[in-house]
């Protein structure tokens, strides 16, 4: 039997990161390659209490088919929470998704035609490139600096279907966009008639002060609004629940909802009810600060280790939140070629090239500081330093 | 801000069934319109024990990011279970999905190009039409009879990307395809070079004898195989967990896997581990027969009620499994026009037209017998009989 693949299937590719993570699961390797949160932060006891309660008090509702929009009280919680962060929206604009990755897929499905343009940061979140790619866009890479994409670059993307932005502690670069730059980016997008798709999986993981208000607060998600906002419970509770959300203007919401229904009918109601049970009385106000404190200690450990062990010519910014350091190596060094030597030396990272919409930038790499202990971080960064010095 | 929708978004539509279900949630209505399993069948106590164990013994694994393929032991369980039903496959061919609805979306994403043809039964599962539609196929309706689609119709669909078949107690028609017809269908598909996508959400819900072996057993899902097989835990455990699976030949599996990763990274690991914990020691061998016995009683009640109350000219087959009766009304009666009168009389159904790829067939309707009690079924069918007699 000969199966004929759809043209879009050519845009689906094996994840390079998956392959790297397989390599780095070898015993004896300290992997700084993962994109995972620390399992030490998972609120197991709260989950236990919540699942027990959901199965005792609302088992039929939790285990039955449910509305494609998501659980009403959870949608209300999201709207209230975002309101407190400066993003005004109604529960009716919140669509619960199977992780925020699904939000990216639905956005792609509803907004991208083959050959249309999507403007993305450079580097940007790999999962978004993977979600958008099968809808066959042309990616327009936005030039940027340490503060984020340049407003002029956004202006120059006029005609794109949307501009995809991650203002908070971006994966992979760790960069946080300043309030001034946010204003300028939103104003540039509005001037160019460009909708914004804002992705915020890491915003709660700040170390010293909360990040500025979301881009969507200024661009608006209401009537005539210019933004879609994506959020997630993966980094503040646990990713294994696959629970995220999309907030969209009323002009777009019904189509996202219909695409959601076609994609998986609804996000597991059991998971939605358990998470709502965990968070409804303010659990995250106690819990998230413990994650911040932990990740900040690890960030500090990595910062100190980098200062100690990186040879001259390697540069980085110290991230003020999130999970990642982003390293610029001397231009003659290819991080992909370096990886096998690093693994031999007992550590692993992700080469940065994979995060760029058109590749290149071989002299960059990403390090996660959240799944290794401060001692392991010291060991791994020291090993990286030796490998770099030899290169 | 003006949002430009992708062309495929035009193919997304509000679900007519959603609207009907909203109407029928009014108090005092006995709804036979639902497509839901009975919540009385949900194994709440087994779920409670399993969630408690998973959170005690493997909380970090259950709550962390997980492999896109799904949980290894669950994939092995599926392969072994299908083997016992005559479908030989390896665990490596099993992809765990967020409900089998997601399997349909992934199949559409990987196999359907705009303007390509997909052959479907007539009527067929509405959720499949919804999943495939945004990939912009032309639907080719396969003519059939009480035994299922005709083999000649499959031969005539030559050139389609695949033929989508639901041999067991199909939603909406309730029809089960005989062993002989299965053979003929698979041979016709092979002769026409047509891959088969077999969907089997209801196969375990047989009343007197198991259905014949899956089409995929004859068509093959191995090297050079001609079928993709979709299964689900929604009808034998609970749909609120959103757990299904796809079994695919090695020529297709990697693309489905990459599409899965782009769509939601992975199906919630927590749900996969809980379900595996529930089923691993043979729970379904005890549990599923209780569902069969319950649904059979309700099927009998509806069969008797239809015999008593349907006016001459209305016809149906008695289903030997599944959840639905399918009624053919006299040709001059429009079920959609009839619905408001039925609701007024205290009952609801789903007009059949919505299940046909090109509409029409206004004189058909679907009745579910699994969520109403025998007494409610008697009341509702009697009301339908009065409304039909008056029409």
């Amino acid at each position: 039997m000969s199966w004929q693949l759809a043209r879009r299937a050519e845009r689906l590719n094996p994840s390079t990161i998956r392959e790297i993570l397989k390599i780095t699961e070898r015993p004896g390797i300290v992997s700084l390659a993962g994109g995972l949160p620390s399992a030490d932060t998972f609120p197991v006891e709260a989950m236990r209490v919540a699942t027990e309660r959901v199965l005792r008090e609302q088992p039929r509702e939790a285990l039955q088919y449910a509305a494609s929009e998501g659980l009403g009280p959870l949608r209300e919680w999201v709207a209230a929470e975002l309101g407190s962060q400066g993003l005004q929206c109604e529960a009716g604009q919140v669509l619960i998704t199977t992780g925020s990755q699904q939000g990216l897929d639905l956005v792609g499905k509803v907004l991208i035609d083959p050959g249309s343009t999507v403007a993305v940061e450079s580097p940007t979140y790999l999962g978004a490139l993977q979600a958008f790619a099968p809808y066959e866009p042309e990616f327009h890479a936005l030039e940027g600096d340490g503060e984020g994409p340049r407003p002029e670059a956004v202006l120059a993307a006029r005609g794109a279907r949307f501009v995809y932005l991650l203002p908070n502690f971006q994966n992979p670069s760790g960069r946080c966009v300043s309030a001034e730059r946010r204003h300028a980016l939103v104003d540039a997008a509005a001037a160019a008639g460009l909708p914004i798709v804002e992705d915020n999986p890491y915003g709660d993981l700040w170390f010293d002060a909360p990040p500025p208000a979301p881009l969507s607060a200024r661009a608006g998600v209401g009537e005539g609004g210019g933004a879609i906002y994506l959020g997630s419970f993966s980094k503040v509770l646990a990713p294994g629940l696959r629970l995220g959300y999309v907030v969209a203007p009323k002009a777009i919401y019904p189509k996202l909802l219909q695409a959601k229904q076609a994609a998986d009918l609804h996000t597991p109601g059991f998971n939605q009810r358990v998470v709502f049970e965990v968070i409804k009385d303010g659990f995250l106000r106690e819990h998230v600060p413990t994650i911040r404190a932990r990740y900040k200690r690890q960030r500090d450990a990595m910062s100190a280790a980098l200062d100690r062990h990186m040879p001259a010519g390697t540069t980085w910014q110290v991230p003020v939140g999130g999970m990642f350091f982003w390293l610029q190596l001397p231009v003659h060094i290819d991080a992909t070629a370096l990886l096998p030597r690093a693994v031999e030396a007992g550590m692993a990272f992700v080469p940065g090239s994979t995060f760029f919409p058109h590749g290149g930038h071989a002299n960059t790499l990403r390090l996660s500081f959240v799944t290794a202990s401060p001692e392991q971080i010291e060991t791994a960064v020291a090993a990286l330093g030796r490998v770099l010095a030899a290169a």
Side-chain angles (χ1 to χ4, degrees), chain A:
Chain A
M1 183 62 58
S2 68
W3 295 80
Q4 186 176 348
L5 293 173
R7 196 182 68 177
R8 80 177 67 76
E10 292 168 21
R11 301 288 193 99
L12 294 165
N13 285 301
S15 165
T16 46
I17 286 195
R18 265 170 68 97
E19 298 311 307
I20 291 166
L21 292 179
K22 273 185 203 162
I23 295 169
T24 61
E25 277 162 11
R26 292 183 202 158
I29 302 287
V30 177
S31 178
L32 307 179
L36 317 176
S38 167
D40 293 335
T41 68
F42 299 160
V44 179
E45 177 57 18
M47 282 284 299
R48 201 192 56 70
V49 172
T51 51
E52 201 273 329
R53 184 172 298 167
V54 166
L55 286 174
R56 191 178 63 236
E57 294 176 0
Q58 35 183 310
R60 298 166 68 96
E61 297 81 1
L63 297 175
Q64 188 55 283
Y65 283 117
S68 300
E69 291 89 340
L71 182 70
L74 184 61
R75 297 166 73 209
E76 283 163 26
W77 185 95
V78 168
E81 172 65 22
L82 293 178
S84 78
Q85 297 176 20
L87 175 53
Q88 299 307 319
C89 64
E90 295 165 22
Q93 295 174 260
V94 177
L95 177 64
I96 303 294
T97 56
T98 309
S100 71
Q101 182 72 24
Q102 186 183 46
L104 295 169
D105 179 49
L106 299 179
V107 163
K109 204 175 207 174
V110 164
L111 293 177
I112 302 175
D113 273 314
S116 66
T117 298
V118 171
V120 298
E121 300 179 37
S122 178
T124 189
Y125 172 53
L126 176 61
L129 296 177
Q130 290 177 321
F132 298 154
Y135 301 112
E136 303 177 80
E138 303 297 328
F139 288 117
H140 176 101
L142 298 166
E143 292 302 306
D145 56 29
E147 279 197 71
R150 289 186 216 277
E152 313 85 85
V154 170
L155 270 175
R158 188 186 294 268
R161 288 297 168 91
F162 59 86
V163 51
Y164 172 67
L165 298 171
L166 304 103
N168 294 328
F169 325 126
Q170 191 224 48
N171 175 2
S173 72
R175 180 266 306 127
C176 186
V177 178
S178 68
E180 296 67 28
R181 179 63 64 90
R182 290 177 196 230
H183 288 184
L185 285 171
V186 172
D187 293 350
L194 272 173
I196 291 172
V197 174
E198 176 175 25
D199 194 1
N200 185 24
Y202 303 105
D204 288 315
L205 305 181
W206 48 267
F207 299 146
D208 299 307
L215 301 167
S216 300
R218 188 174 178 92
V221 292
E223 209 68 42
I228 290 174
Y229 178 92
L230 289 86
S232 173
F233 291 101
S234 289
K235 307 305 183 294
V236 295
L237 283 177
L241 301 168
R242 309 307 302 123
L243 212 55
Y245 48 87
V246 179
V247 182
K250 286 170 187 166
I252 297 295
Y253 187 91
K255 287 293 172 191
L256 290 172
L257 173 60
Q258 292 153 21
K260 163 72 180 168
Q261 189 176 30
D264 65 1
L265 298 183
H266 62 86
T267 293
F270 181 63
N271 302 233
Q272 295 186 62
R273 285 173 190 269
V274 167
V275 164
F276 180 67
E277 200 60 43
V278 168
I279 66 179
K280 67 178 183 178
D281 294 323
F283 175 80
L284 291 178
R285 284 197 296 274
E286 304 290 318
H287 180 62
V288 177
T290 66
I291 307 177
R292 287 180 197 135
R294 163 186 289 270
Y295 287 2
K296 184 180 181 180
R297 280 194 304 276
Q298 289 165 288
R299 188 274 316 259
D300 289 345
M302 186 169 280
S303 180
L306 288 167
D307 285 341
R308 266 194 295 277
H309 300 295
M310 285 303 106
T314 295
T315 62
W316 61 91
Q317 284 191 323
V318 177
V320 296
M323 297 169 34
F324 305 108
F325 271 83
W326 178 249
L327 269 58
Q328 305 263 357
L329 313 179
V331 285
H332 67 278
I333 297 189
D334 180 335
T336 302
L338 205 70
L339 182 60
R341 276 175 274 168
V343 170
E344 219 166 284
M347 69 82 65
F349 56 79
V350 180
S353 183
T354 191
F355 301 104
F356 289 87
H358 306 118
H361 304 265
N363 65 321
T364 58
L365 63 83
R366 188 191 76 179
L367 301 176
S368 162
F369 51 83
V370 305
T371 49
S373 69
E375 296 70 29
Q376 290 174 315
I377 288 172
E378 167 65 20
T379 307
V381 170
L384 176 62
R386 287 193 302 275
V387 170
L388 272 173

